[in-house]
Amino acid sequence: MNPPVPVLAIDGPGGAGKGTVSRAVARHLGWHFLDSGAIYRALAIAVIDRTIAPDAVADIVKIAHAMQLRFDTAEPPGVCLDGVDISDRLQDEQTGAIASRIAALGPVRQALLQKQRDFRQLPGLVADGRDMGSVVFPDAEWKVFLTASVEIRAERRYRQLKRKGLDVNLEELRSELEIRDRRDRERAEAPLIQSPGSVLIDTSELDIPTAIQQCLAVVRPLA
Ligand code: C5P
């Protein structure tokens, strides 16, 4: 039997810098990249556009199976849902809020499992999410739990949105992050946890290049 395609699973709460770090690590290694949050976000957009209630499990599962997603490697990366470019809407607050609600539904997670596993291709995969090391790729060679304090995560998000010219409130952002964290950590299905055997990287006091180096150091001895 062929050896399995190597996977680096990077899990952690929103706003810890996971997306930027994982993408850069994939680029350094020349590996494929899975942004699993973008899959949940794309499904959320499909649900919003069809005015489906975020608890209508059967309808959402149907869409999850039918939706066609295409990721491109542009910078910033683009995502097409059923042939329509949805890149501009992926990071909207509404998209994130609905994504987090539908992500708590077990059958929806199940419906998205294979779509995520399909990304596992040679020469390797860096997978970014909440349950990469625990559920989607439990046999991943390397697992990282990338986190940061909620204060720091809220401040980063605040600066990011301000730069985009949006009128945002730091306290509101912080409480939204806390609500989403709690939902991700306390849900019955695939809760956000630090998988046994994973390496903890706290980016509260780290800049991005250092966090990237620390992730690469986890993989380098063997890759
Ligand atoms: O990481 P990102 O903020 O893009 O993810 C959006 C939402 O999708 C998260 O709040 C989380 O609820 C959900 N998600 C998940 N499992 C993943 C990735 C994302 O439940 N592997």
Side-chain angles (χ1 to χ4, degrees), residues 14 18 35-38 40-41 91 96 99-100 103 109 116 128-132 180 184 187:
K18 250 178 330 126
D35 177 357
S36 61
Y40 285 94
R41 284 173 184 268
Q91 295 306 321
S100 143
R109 302 196 71 84
Q116 297 173 80
D128 161 355
R130 303 289 189 290
D131 60 342
M132 299 295 98
R180 210 171 296 169
D184 286 350
R187 67 185 176 213

Side-chain angles (χ1 to χ4, degrees), residues 79-92:
V79 182
C80 279
L81 167 66
D82 298 327
V84 178
D85 188 346
I86 54 163
S87 316
D88 286 351
R89 299 174 59 196
L90 272 189
Q91 295 306 321
D92 288 356

Side-chain angles (χ1 to χ4, degrees), residues 149-166:
S149 71
V150 70
E151 289 78 17
I152 298 276
R153 292 189 282 127
E155 270 170 36
R156 285 179 186 159
R157 183 93 183 118
Y158 177 79
R159 284 200 299 269
Q160 189 184 30
L161 295 174
K162 274 278 178 197
R163 269 199 303 273
K164 278 189 176 171
L166 297 173

